[in-house]
Amino acid sequence: MNHNPQSSDGKHDDDSTLSDFLGSLMDYTPTIPDELVEHYLAKSGFQCPDVRLIRLVAVATQKFVAEVASDALQHCKARQAAVVKDKRDKQQKDKRLILTMDDLSKSLREYGVNVKHQEYFADSPSTGMDPASRDE
Amino acid sequence: MNDGSLENRKEHEKSQKQSKSSKFRRKSDDFALAIRKVAVAQVCESVGFQSFQHSALETLSDIIVRYIYSIGKTASLNANLAGRAEANVFDVIQGLEELGSGLGFAGSSDVDRCVANSGIVRDIVHYVGHVDDIPFAYDVPRFPVVKEWKGMGSFWEKGEEPLGEHIPSWLPAFPDPETYATRSSAGNEMMSVSNGEKTELARVERKVEQSLLNLQQRFAHNGNEGGSSRDGGDNGRARKASLSNPYLAAPLLFGEKEVEVSPVLLPAKLLNEVALRNHVPENCVVGNHVSLLETFAPAIEAIKSGLCNSDNEQKKVLYNQRPLVHFKIGIGKKSLGMAPDFNSSKKDPGKIASWFGNDNEKDDQKRRAEKILKESRESSQERAQL
């Protein structure tokens, strides 16, 4: 789809697409409530009386969360597939798809958000280490 | 998938979080915090998750707030760059493109792409078309709620005249004089008097103050004598004694003109007031007090109500029912050794009488009184200029 920005037809199409979309936004109720989005947008200095724009931001945010969550879900499922102890355990785990920090940090890394947790806390560098073993 | 259990868990988490947050931290956006967690949980549930870790949910909700922040900032920045105060759809789409440029979107490499035809928009349209419409679980009111601030009325609103030309009328009015302490400069927290008594007190104090000045002038003229045995002075003092009644009489007897109160006590009261303003002549006050009291010793015994704190340290008179409060104003020099003795309780007129019947100390007192009178003469000249 190569639209020539100079052609009025193309422009007209784009504009109509956009305005149609914005109109359709009013029918769709985003899961993230408008008031919440409006509150945070106001905090950041965004000033607009048009509610369609707020809906647009809400939908964009919802899409973002959905993408991150689906990535985390894939990580979670991949981990469950890797753990093959016995069928009973796996079935139990299948019923419990839990959003963990681990999966979340992995999926957020792709979006440029670094959420890394300390793996463990030790009071000295040699805690839990055999004197003969080397640390990795 | 067990939707019912997830809903319950969400609400349970939400209530837990709310109680925890109210106990440990009081942020202004507690409400928004709770709401966005519910929203994120709903979206995750639609994706396919059945439960979450608390920390994961909080992290994700924090991240979407930052996401919204950055969209808003970028959009307002673009609008300002274009010379507008309000953002429009193109500013928002450009902001979304900047945010999505990390992952890339269709058409991002096109140099002359149109914002309206942006890949981002297409992605969103695609998403809207595909995903189910899941409204938010709760009914969210408009927030933050702006409380109506009912400030103090201005001069203009209250219809009062501002005191002085330098005060514009749109400024808030001064509080009523009755609401703060009596007109003495030192804060009188101990005086929790009712408003009516206070205004009368103020009036009486003013009269007493004038009479005090006259009295001090007379003392100055008297020289070494205590200045107590002059008829003119007596008359004046009797008049003033009647004015100073409220300080000596019981509160219920306020306003009555009682002449039985000894005029001797008047100088004590007046001298106390002087002591308020000038800390230096406190000693001379005591001296005068002593000499006068000696002369009027028999009259003192006729006093029904006790001597009101005839103490150079006391600032104001206490009513009978009020507890005795002692103030300690630092006095540089104490030429009178018996200054502390004047801490008297109100209900001990007998005790006071016993002091003045003490003839052993009279000579010493007289000598000290002369010294102090000299000082008072000097200080009264200062006061006369007041």
Side-chain angles (χ1 to χ4, degrees):
Chain A
M1 267 205 296
N2 250 353
H3 288 274
N4 191 358
Q6 263 80 46
S7 78
S8 57
D9 287 343
K11 230 180 182 179
H12 186 66
D13 277 344
D14 291 338
D15 286 344
S16 63
T17 311
L18 199 53
S19 50
D20 287 344
F21 168 63
L22 288 177
S24 70
L25 263 185
M26 294 314 293
D27 298 330
Y28 177 82
T29 312
T31 308
I32 300 177
D34 280 346
E35 289 83 5
L36 185 75
V37 175
E38 203 174 333
H39 177 236
Y40 286 118
L41 284 177
K43 264 190 170 184
S44 69
F46 179 88
Q47 210 176 357
C48 185
D50 196 355
V51 75
R52 293 179 300 176
L53 281 185
I54 298 173
R55 283 273 167 100
L56 179 63
V57 175
V59 167
T61 313
Q62 184 180 346
K63 178 167 165 291
F64 172 74
V65 175
E67 282 173 4
V68 170
S70 62
D71 283 351
L73 190 72
Q74 282 171 13
H75 279 116
C76 184
K77 283 187 177 164
R79 177 178 318 169
Q80 282 176 8
V83 177
V84 184
K85 283 193 177 167
D86 49 320
K87 277 193 177 169
R88 190 168 47 87
D89 281 348
K90 202 175 162 198
Q91 277 170 3
Q92 277 182 352
K93 275 183 189 171
D94 271 347
K95 284 182 185 157
R96 279 252 162 268
L97 285 170
I98 304 175
L99 174 67
T100 58
M101 273 305 297
D102 214 2
D103 298 333
L104 189 65
S105 68
K106 279 183 194 158
S107 59
L108 279 174
R109 275 195 80 166
E110 296 173 9
Y111 287 85
V113 181
N114 189 12
V115 184
K116 275 190 86 171
H117 267 250
Q118 190 80 315
E119 290 195 4
Y120 55 86
F121 293 95
D123 51 2
S124 76
S126 58
T127 305
M129 209 172 59
D130 290 342
S133 68
R134 290 156 54 170
D135 56 340
E136 300 173 18
Chain B
M1 192 161 12
N2 208 352
D3 283 354
S5 71
L6 189 52
E7 279 288 297
N8 293 340
R9 202 174 301 113
K10 252 187 307 189
E11 284 176 65
H12 182 58
E13 282 173 4
K14 186 161 101 102
S15 61
Q16 264 183 353
K17 279 289 163 278
Q18 272 176 345
S19 63
K20 259 191 206 169
S21 59
S22 61
K23 225 203 283 187
F24 294 123
R25 53 167 192 243
R26 292 238 167 241
K27 284 197 286 201
S28 61
D29 62 344
D30 268 346
F31 183 63
L33 180 87
I35 291 220
R36 70 184 186 234
K37 277 202 280 205
V38 175
V40 165
Q42 275 189 281
V43 175
C44 289
E45 187 199 7
S46 73
V47 165
F49 277 106
Q50 282 146 355
S51 58
F52 346 84
Q53 287 182 341
H54 283 294
S55 52
L57 189 64
E58 283 187 19
T59 310
L60 196 53
S61 60
D62 255 352
I63 287 167
I64 69 155
V65 169
R66 282 176 200 240
Y67 189 79
I68 298 176
Y69 268 157
S70 49
I71 293 180
K73 265 196 229 171
T74 320
S76 65
L77 179 75
N78 289 334
N80 293 338
L81 280 174
R84 281 178 274 113
E86 286 184 0
N88 66 12
V89 65
F90 301 114
D91 300 324
V92 174
I93 293 175
Q94 270 188 314
L96 285 172
E97 279 185 0
E98 279 185 40
L99 274 178
S101 60
L103 270 184
F105 52 93
S108 61
S109 57
D110 289 347
V111 176
D112 53 353
R113 68 177 183 275
C114 176
V115 172
N117 194 24
S118 155
I120 292 272
V121 181
R122 269 181 278 144
D123 287 343
I124 294 180
V125 173
H126 184 79
Y127 177 76
V128 169
H130 271 78
V131 81
D132 300 330
D133 186 359
I134 306 171
F136 190 64
Y138 300 98
D139 207 8
V140 181
R142 270 201 84 78
F143 73 97
V145 177
V146 178
K147 236 165 127 179
E148 223 182 82
W149 178 69
K150 199 175 51 172
M152 290 179 58
S154 63
F155 280 114
W156 183 74
E157 279 173 23
K158 279 191 176 176
E160 287 177 7
E161 270 289 314
L163 316 167
E165 285 179 2
H166 61 285
I167 304 175
S169 62
W170 44 264
L171 281 178
F174 288 131
D176 291 335
E178 292 114 17
T179 56
Y180 47 84
T182 55
R183 58 135 191 94
S184 77
S185 52
N188 271 341
E189 288 92 31
M190 50 178 261
M191 293 286 280
S192 52
V193 192
S194 70
N195 284 348
E197 287 177 342
K198 263 195 179 169
T199 47
E200 280 184 285
L201 247 181
R203 193 172 31 87
V204 166
E205 280 172 29
R206 263 177 261 133
K207 288 185 196 162
V208 164
E209 200 179 9
Q210 287 168 5
S211 55
L212 169 66
L213 284 175
N214 300 335
L215 200 60
Q216 285 300 325
Q217 281 167 2
R218 261 185 234 112
F219 283 152
H221 291 313
N222 276 340
N224 285 347
E225 290 175 26
S228 51
S229 51
R230 287 205 339 193
D231 293 340
D234 279 342
N235 286 341
R237 248 175 271 118
R239 193 172 17 100
K240 289 157 214 156
S242 64
L243 289 173
S244 73
N245 276 341
Y247 301 103
L248 312 172
L252 298 170
L253 305 173
F254 190 88
E256 289 180 32
K257 303 285 184 186
E258 289 178 13
V259 191
E260 66 205 6
V261 178
S262 163
V264 168
L265 298 173
L266 168 66
K269 179 63 199 76
L270 299 178
L271 294 171
N272 280 343
E273 287 199 291
V274 174
L276 274 180
R277 282 182 257 119
N278 303 328
H279 292 301
V280 172
E282 269 175 342
N283 299 323
C284 68
V285 163
V286 173
N288 280 337
H289 173 95
V290 169
S291 58
L292 287 166
L293 282 170
E294 284 171 18
T295 11
F296 289 87
I300 290 168
E301 286 163 356
I303 300 167
K304 286 182 198 163
S305 60
L307 177 63
C308 72
N309 301 309
S310 55
D311 191 5
N312 58 347
E313 295 164 332
Q314 290 298 333
K315 289 196 283 187
K316 284 290 173 212
V317 179
L318 294 172
Y319 291 111
N320 272 333
Q321 285 110 20
R322 310 283 172 185
L324 193 62
V325 179
H326 295 283
F327 287 109
K328 299 254 177 233
I329 300 174
I331 300 167
K333 44 181 178 166
K334 291 197 184 224
S335 55
L336 258 193
M338 52 192 290
D341 292 345
F342 284 91
N343 277 340
S344 66
S345 72
K346 282 173 42 178
K347 316 243 165 117
D348 277 345
K351 188 179 169 194
I352 297 155
S354 68
W355 295 341
F356 307 119
N358 198 353
D359 290 323
N360 294 334
E361 292 179 14
K362 258 193 184 178
D363 294 335
D364 290 337
Q365 283 173 3
K366 273 190 183 156
R367 260 183 263 123
R368 273 179 240 146
E370 285 169 10
K371 267 189 241 166
I372 287 159
L373 274 171
K374 279 182 206 164
E375 290 171 0
S376 79
R377 239 182 294 131
E378 294 161 1
S379 58
S380 68
Q381 282 163 10
E382 289 171 24
R383 248 172 276 114
Q385 291 160 9
L386 278 175

